[in-house]
Amino acid sequence: TRFLSTWGADLTNTNQVLCKLRIFILFDFITVALWLIMLATVDRWFSSSTDVNRRQRSTLKTAQRGMIIIVVLSSIIETQQLYGFEVNLTYTPIKCYTKTVACSLVSNLTFALITIIFLLQLVMIFGLMTISNVRHIQSRLQPASMAEGSRAVDGPSTLTAGTQNQQKKTDRQLLIMLSYKFLSCFYSPLQ
């Protein structure tokens, strides 16, 4: 619809159904996309776990179920957009806008709380738990590499320094990935 607006042919500015549908689809797709990122973070936590039962939950079938649940719940949550938006309102910044202050507050608070704040907390929690799982796996593997290193010519002290450097590099990479995922949740096509 933005493409059509350059020629003055944006029907969402005059058609009530298209206005409501556009806003619903916009908010719904943003919410679904961000929650799917969170689902991927949970799946990464499952797959990096040392617990066999958690690792077995990281399957394609579980991911598909999670996707369906996210799409359905997001659509239910965002149905309030269908009521709140109207066309051709006076004193509004754009033609398709919320009809009352209450509708605007509900729309903005729902988006901020459910799509941004709650989501970011879950992404951070599961991201940090994934880093914890990776560190736990590395600490379980380190004694085996130390035993092999004692037979080496360099000795265990050189291997320990090399192992520590590798662990710091891995931790840095994991934190960069987590930070990138965290910051990507702030990007919104609404701006």
Side-chain angles (χ1 to χ4, degrees), residues 79 166 175-176:
T79 54
Q166 183 64 33
L175 285 172
I176 288 170

mmCIF file with all atom_site columns, all heavy atoms in Angstrom, residues 79 166 175-176:
data_model
loop_
_atom_site.group_PDB
_atom_site.id
_atom_site.type_symbol
_atom_site.label_atom_id
_atom_site.label_alt_id
_atom_site.label_comp_id
_atom_site.label_asym_id
_atom_site.label_entity_id
_atom_site.label_seq_id
_atom_site.pdbx_PDB_ins_code
_atom_site.Cartn_x
_atom_site.Cartn_y
_atom_site.Cartn_z
_atom_site.occupancy
_atom_site.B_iso_or_equiv
_atom_site.pdbx_formal_charge
_atom_site.auth_seq_id
_atom_site.auth_comp_id
_atom_site.auth_asym_id
_atom_site.auth_atom_id
_atom_site.pdbx_PDB_model_num
ATOM 1  N N   . THR A 1 79  ? -6.488 -8.974  16.987 1.00 0.00 ? 79  THR A N   1
ATOM 2  C CA  . THR A 1 79  ? -7.822 -8.685  16.459 1.00 0.00 ? 79  THR A CA  1
ATOM 3  C C   . THR A 1 79  ? -8.357 -7.362  16.987 1.00 0.00 ? 79  THR A C   1
ATOM 4  O O   . THR A 1 79  ? -9.225 -6.754  16.350 1.00 0.00 ? 79  THR A O   1
ATOM 5  C CB  . THR A 1 79  ? -8.833 -9.807  16.795 1.00 0.00 ? 79  THR A CB  1
ATOM 6  O OG1 . THR A 1 79  ? -8.837 -10.035 18.196 1.00 0.00 ? 79  THR A OG1 1
ATOM 7  C CG2 . THR A 1 79  ? -8.534 -11.069 16.034 1.00 0.00 ? 79  THR A CG2 1
ATOM 8  N N   . GLN A 1 166 ? 40.481 -20.019 23.560 1.00 0.00 ? 166 GLN A N   1
ATOM 9  C CA  . GLN A 1 166 ? 39.404 -20.518 22.705 1.00 0.00 ? 166 GLN A CA  1
ATOM 10 C C   . GLN A 1 166 ? 38.049 -20.340 23.386 1.00 0.00 ? 166 GLN A C   1
ATOM 11 O O   . GLN A 1 166 ? 37.072 -19.966 22.743 1.00 0.00 ? 166 GLN A O   1
ATOM 12 C CB  . GLN A 1 166 ? 39.646 -21.996 22.353 1.00 0.00 ? 166 GLN A CB  1
ATOM 13 C CG  . GLN A 1 166 ? 38.609 -22.572 21.408 1.00 0.00 ? 166 GLN A CG  1
ATOM 14 C CD  . GLN A 1 166 ? 38.627 -21.891 20.051 1.00 0.00 ? 166 GLN A CD  1
ATOM 15 O OE1 . GLN A 1 166 ? 39.654 -21.462 19.561 1.00 0.00 ? 166 GLN A OE1 1
ATOM 16 N NE2 . GLN A 1 166 ? 37.462 -21.776 19.440 1.00 0.00 ? 166 GLN A NE2 1
ATOM 17 N N   . LEU A 1 175 ? 28.005 -14.108 22.880 1.00 0.00 ? 175 LEU A N   1
ATOM 18 C CA  . LEU A 1 175 ? 27.438 -12.851 23.357 1.00 0.00 ? 175 LEU A CA  1
ATOM 19 C C   . LEU A 1 175 ? 27.117 -11.908 22.206 1.00 0.00 ? 175 LEU A C   1
ATOM 20 O O   . LEU A 1 175 ? 26.109 -11.201 22.229 1.00 0.00 ? 175 LEU A O   1
ATOM 21 C CB  . LEU A 1 175 ? 28.391 -12.179 24.349 1.00 0.00 ? 175 LEU A CB  1
ATOM 22 C CG  . LEU A 1 175 ? 28.429 -12.813 25.738 1.00 0.00 ? 175 LEU A CG  1
ATOM 23 C CD1 . LEU A 1 175 ? 29.533 -12.199 26.580 1.00 0.00 ? 175 LEU A CD1 1
ATOM 24 C CD2 . LEU A 1 175 ? 27.083 -12.665 26.434 1.00 0.00 ? 175 LEU A CD2 1
ATOM 25 N N   . ILE A 1 176 ? 27.940 -11.902 21.172 1.00 0.00 ? 176 ILE A N   1
ATOM 26 C CA  . ILE A 1 176 ? 27.663 -11.069 19.996 1.00 0.00 ? 176 ILE A CA  1
ATOM 27 C C   . ILE A 1 176 ? 26.397 -11.550 19.309 1.00 0.00 ? 176 ILE A C   1
ATOM 28 O O   . ILE A 1 176 ? 25.544 -10.753 18.930 1.00 0.00 ? 176 ILE A O   1
ATOM 29 C CB  . ILE A 1 176 ? 28.869 -11.070 19.025 1.00 0.00 ? 176 ILE A CB  1
ATOM 30 C CG1 . ILE A 1 176 ? 30.023 -10.258 19.621 1.00 0.00 ? 176 ILE A CG1 1
ATOM 31 C CG2 . ILE A 1 176 ? 28.485 -10.516 17.661 1.00 0.00 ? 176 ILE A CG2 1
ATOM 32 C CD1 . ILE A 1 176 ? 31.332 -10.391 18.869 1.00 0.00 ? 176 ILE A CD1 1
#
